[in-house]
Amino acid sequence: MNDLRLALRQLAKSPGFTAVVVLSLALGIGANTAIFSLVNEFLLRALPVKNPEELVLFRHIAGAKGGRISRGEEGNSQTDPATGRYSATSFSLLTFERFRAHHPALSDVFAYAPFSGANVLIDGQPETDVSAQFVSGGYHTGLGVRAALGRILTEQDDRPGAEPVAVISHRYWQKRFGGDPSVLGRTMQVNKISVPIVGVTAAGFNGALQAGEAPGLSVALAHVARFQPDQIHKQYPWFWWVRIMGRLAPGTTAAQARASLEPTLQQTAHEGWLGVTKLGGPAPLEPDLPTLVADPGAQGETDTRRRFAQSLHILMGLVSLVLFAACANVANLLLARGAARRRELAVRLALGATRSRLVRQLLVEALLLGLLGAALGLLLAWWSRDLVVALRPFGNVAAVLDLPLDGRVLGFTIAAALGTALLFGLIPALRATRLDLNAEFQGGTRTLGAGGRSRLSQTLMVVQIALSLVLLVSTGLFVRTLRNLQNVDTGFNRQGLVLFRIDALPAGYKREQFVALQTRLRERLENLPGIRGATYASVALLNRGGVSRAVNIEGYTPSAGGSTSVAFSALAPNFFATMEMPLVLGRGFTEHDTATAPKVAVIDQAFAQKYFGAENPIGRRLGLGPQLEIEIVGVVRDASYSSLRAARQPTLFVPALQQIGGTANFALRTSGDPAAIFPAIRAAVREIDATLPVIDLRTQEEQIDRLNAQELLFARLSGFFGLLALALACVGLYGLMSYGVLRRTGEIGLRMALGALPTHVLRMILRESLALVAIGIGLGLAAAAAASRLVTSMLFGLSPTDPATYGTVALLLVVIATIATLLPARRAAKIDPMVALRAE
């Protein structure tokens, strides 16, 4: 306590020093805490449920022959690292029912699945910002989730004869209903079915789906046929789509659970195979039975977490460099402060204080500085949570993140404070207490010549410059990658476009009614002021995904093991004209290409090149089945569909009037600000059908920013980190040279008394400063070249050792370092030699 009181008094005597140190540490620790909160949310945080370590998540691995018995499979798929075969977390409803009936190694088993295309109405108005999921009756009980209000779903709710009810999430309750307790009993319409709300789940629980997925409402799995009558195939044993989790019984292991349930899986898989063969579908000639895997389920599904793990590790590495730069800067300040306190420390030693006692005192000061910096950094991290989410790290995934500052994040911040205090405090404390008492009391050490320069301070300065260069090189690579992506030729005019989606089937439309709905809506939108054209497609351009179809092409025989699977989309008649995609050959679609007209198609250049080579494809025929009933009438220029990075895939276009669907992705060409037309679009859709939600309304540029979300995040954050480290380096360089000039006043005065000109002194100080910068740049370039290879997969259109980036950053550092050194150098050149020698 005495050390603490003395440390507080010492820091209070130097408010400027204290403020600079605390702010430097706060920026470093705060940035690390903010990024660690992302790492915690994606990679470390378990589900907020009872004993999450007891949970297991099941997945299956395709059979040894690589065959997949299921048909129309959904779920999160991957390549199994152990076998190299296809693996997914999806199962059939029959498999779940058999697991639920007999699970000797589990105390609970439950299932869940996304409720895609849920049309939710509250008070007759469509909800556009809520997602839903199907869950079994034991879902909440098995996970150990309580109800914050009302009750959870039970096994009685999960019966075909029961009345459908819904449980909403705490997040959705707060956001949509303002936490109103009277929400219980309130009825919402879900796909035209009245569903009363019976409960609200506990705060913090967002389900067991992927990180960032937060279903707002849950309904019982038994009612899937009522909510989605057009998807009756979900009831069949050959359609795998539900996820299955379980809780281990006391004393059992995941291996025992897997072994007890695998025979059941293989039996139901065989039944599914029999069902596919009876339908005449594409099943293996003989059963190729899958195997079962029981993965840890403490975090729910982890595909998103695995996908973003490398990016998060890179971000954490970059922000750690900022903290190291801050520590080097603070260590330099403490070295200077220790040198200024030499006489004070000498008196203490002379009065009987041991060196260890003084080191302890100085470490307490460093620890206090670290804790103050951590407290302010934690506050900065709390304030920046919304900013981090607004940057949309990893696309839409972060839109529902809470980034709570939980115990793990607080522990990380405290550990960062203690670690940095030890890192920047120990060496200065040891150096400051290594004193020659005789020399100190006989007038102090001489400051002429090399005595005015600190090798340790110079080393720390070199480290700061090297770290700054690594961060700035990373910034340059990410910024140039982003610019390269933004300059990619998309194959259409992306300026002035507004996009949105409507999903008609959940709103109660039949498939045969959908064509008329699309036409009416397109005509209404085209009449809006500021709209130059309106069109739609079954698959949106640049929407990170797509639909593939197998085609049968006249005169083309695929090679052994080859594939005729191509990208596929159904388009409105005016799609090419509205999107400004030029035709290369033939014609586009017209209003006459209806369901009763001869079937036609347009292909892109990639399709023509791959399947027809130099031949003219116009008039050739193909089919989506065995019949060659579709005539190719045009070839359109290649365009980007899935992403800006992906190679152009052969694409087949058919008229939407000939292809009945249930989803339409609209694109509107505007003459002014695209975002200004949003209210008019919503009003126009309400005129057609007030219950039809306008889904994901955004501009084309916003859509492209979503595709580039990770690149945007890295460019912005690495730029901020790089500039922060550069600022710290410049402040440190300025402080080092200023302190050096102060300590070398006698030396500089003597030089000038012996004939040195002010310009000579100016050049000497600049030369010494730029020598440190040169060494730092050399080390930094080597470190950046080694580190940048870790981000090769994230770059686009440039090498990880791009000379232009490295050269620009090095030149920038030299210029800024020269500016930072110029003021101390000019001050040195103005020293009066008589005053300097008299003081010496």
Side-chain angles (χ1 to χ4, degrees), residues 518 535-541 569-572 575 641 656 663-667:
Q518 292 178 115
T535 190
Y536 56 85
S538 61
V539 179
L541 289 167
S569 186
L571 311 178
F575 184 84
Y641 262 81
T663 301
N665 294 278
F666 276 83

Side-chain angles (χ1 to χ4, degrees), residues 129-152:
D129 193 25
V130 61
S131 59
Q133 66 176 349
F134 290 110
V135 301
S136 64
Y139 173 79
H140 295 105
T141 303
L143 283 171
V145 178
R146 299 178 297 101
L149 188 69
R151 66 177 180 86
I152 55 176

Side-chain angles (χ1 to χ4, degrees), residues 372-396:
L372 290 173
L376 182 56
L378 195 62
L379 187 60
L380 292 175
W382 176 267
W383 285 341
S384 66
R385 287 190 316 157
D386 292 339
L387 176 61
V388 171
V389 173
L391 290 175
R392 304 185 77 87
F394 318 116
N396 290 332

Side-chain angles (χ1 to χ4, degrees), residues 709-724:
Q710 186 165 294
E711 289 80 5
L712 273 169
L713 176 75
F714 272 78
R716 290 168 175 169
L717 288 184
S718 65
F720 172 73
F721 299 154
L723 291 175
L724 181 57

